[in-house]
Amino acid sequence: MRILGIETSCDETAVAIVEDGNRVLASLLNSQVKIHAATGGIVPEVAAREHIPVILPLLQAVMKEANCVWADIDAIAVTQGPGLVGSLLTGMDTAKALALSYGLPLHAVNHIVGHIYANWLDTTLDDQPKFPIVVLTASGGHNELALIENNHRLTFLGSTIDDAAGEAFDKAARLLGLGYPGGPAIQKTAQNGNPAAFSLPRPMINDAGFGFSFSGLKTALLVTVKKLTAGGKGLTATLTADLAASFQEAIAETLVTKLLQAARKYDAAEVHIAGGVSANLRVRTLAGQWAEQAGIRLRYPQKPHYCTDNAAMIAAAAYFHPRLTAPDKLVVEPNLALAI
Ligand code: KG4
Ligand code: ZN
C-alpha cells in the first residue's frame, strides 16, 4: 500500500510517499530554517505563510521522484496536530483537496505518533520493532515518554511540565551565541568541551513518575553564564565549549535516565528515541551504552532526516495505525494530545 504523507505542523513543509509503512519511495521537504535563524526562533505567522507557495511544487517533485502517478497512490495521510494552527491548515487543506479530487481515503495523523513511527522507516520485514516498546519523543515542541504494547495500544507515561528538550537546546544556544537551531549548534560546540566542567542539574530524575522539566536547567545555565561574564567579561571559546558540553550532558543524562527507568518498569523489549533531539550524538551514545547494559535493544531513526519533522513518518503512522476520516469532518487540532 502506498500512502502519500503531508506534514506542515511547524516550519517544515514536507511531502513523502511510503510503501507498506517502511519503504520510502520519496521524502522531500522545504526547510524554513534560514528564515527563522534571522529571528532566533519561529514566528508562527511567518511559518504559516511560508508553507503556501512551496507545498504544490513539493508535491509534484515527490510524485516525480517516486515515479508515481495518482493511480499508484492508495491513501493520503496528513498531520492533524499538535502544531501551529496556521501551519497545520495548509497541509490539511491540501490533503483534503487531494483526497476529494482523486477519491482517495484520508487519514488524520497525530504528529507525535508520526515521530514514533519514524523508527519503522527503512526497516526490513524481518527486523521490525518488537513490542513492548518504551519510546521517548524529544523535539522543539514536545517531550514525551510512552509505552507501546502493539500498534493499537499506546499508554502515555509522561511529558515535560515546561520546556521540551529541543527548546532548551535552542534557548541555551541563543544564550551562548551559537545560533539557531540550537541542538546541532550545541552538539558541534560541545565536541571541544568538557562535559564535567560545570555542575548542572538533572531535573526530576529521582521522581517516581515520568515527567520532565527543563526550564530550571536553562535558568541554571543562565546563572552560570552571568557569573562567568560578571563585570563585562566575554566568554572564551573554551568556556563556551565547556558550557555547551555540560549542558548537553545534563539533558542527555536526564532523558536517558527516564527512558531506562520506564523501560525497566514496563519490561520493554526495545527502547526508541524519536524527534529532533534523537539526532543528538551524545543522547544516542549514552542511550546505547545504558540500553546495552540493561540488555534492551535501542533504536533511533535510520536517517537524520527521519528524526526531525518529515512526511515519511506521517505516512508510516497512517499505515500502522489508520485513522480514516471524512474530509468534510476533519479539522486541525493545535493541542492534540498523544494517543492512538
Ligand atoms: O522534530 P523537530 O524537527 O521539530 C519539532 O517537532 O519540534 O525538532 C526540532 C528540534 C529543535 O529544537 C532542534 O534544536 C532539535 O530538535 N535538534 C537537536 C539536534 N538536531 C535537532 N537537538 C540536539 N541535538 C541535535 N543534533
Ligand atoms: Zn516534530
Side-chain angles (χ1 to χ4, degrees), residues 1 22 32 37 51 71 101 112 131 136 138 142 155 172 182-183 196 222 232 238 306:
M1 177 190 265
N22 60 349
Q32 301 177 7
H51 289 298
S101 311
I112 304 167
F131 301 108
L136 167 77
H142 36 85
T155 310
L222 177 67
T238 308
Y306 302 153

Side-chain angles (χ1 to χ4, degrees), residues 63-271:
M63 293 292 279
K64 196 168 167 206
E65 190 174 308
N67 209 6
C68 284
V69 292
W70 283 101
D72 300 322
I73 304 297
D74 299 299
I76 309 277
V78 66
T79 305
Q80 184 182 18
L84 303 171
V85 64
S87 291
L88 286 164
L89 278 169
T90 300
M92 176 68 77
D93 285 347
T94 306
K96 283 183 183 180
L98 291 171
L100 286 169
S101 311
Y102 294 105
L104 291 168
L106 178 63
H107 296 277
V109 177
N110 181 308
H111 178 79
I112 304 167
V113 175
H115 274 298
I116 290 173
Y117 280 96
N119 274 305
W120 272 253
L121 295 172
D122 288 352
T123 56
T124 56
L125 278 182
D126 56 357
D127 190 32
Q128 297 267 296
K130 313 261 179 314
F131 301 108
I133 298 163
V134 168
V135 57
L136 167 77
T137 55
S139 273
H142 36 85
N143 200 120
E144 284 91 8
L145 264 178
L147 168 70
I148 319 175
E149 286 163 276
N150 56 53
N151 281 322
H152 303 284
R153 196 172 163 83
L154 179 148
T155 310
F156 171 78
L157 301 178
S159 68
T160 180
I161 55 167
D162 41 55
D163 292 354
E167 190 181 354
F169 270 119
D170 293 336
K171 287 181 179 155
R174 195 171 178 171
L175 176 68
L176 298 175
L178 299 176
Y180 174 88
I186 295 258
Q187 177 177 296
K188 189 158 178 263
T189 310
Q191 281 170 353
N192 308 315
N194 172 9
F198 295 98
S199 163
L200 296 170
R202 270 64 172 156
M204 296 174 78
I205 59 168
N206 297 317
D207 286 19
F210 296 110
F212 297 88
S213 163
F214 291 107
S215 73
L217 174 59
K218 203 179 61 190
T219 308
L221 181 73
L222 177 67
V223 170
T224 310
V225 169
K226 275 195 173 154
K227 271 188 206 150
L228 291 167
T229 55
K233 279 181 289 183
L235 286 176
T236 62
T238 308
L239 277 176
T240 305
D242 284 349
L243 286 163
S246 302
F247 187 79
Q248 177 177 257
E249 195 66 16
I251 292 205
E253 230 178 270
T254 305
L255 293 175
V256 174
T257 304
K258 285 283 168 202
L259 177 66
L260 265 287
Q261 282 171 354
R264 286 206 183 91
K265 178 164 179 186
Y266 295 101
D267 206 12
E270 298 192 7
V271 283

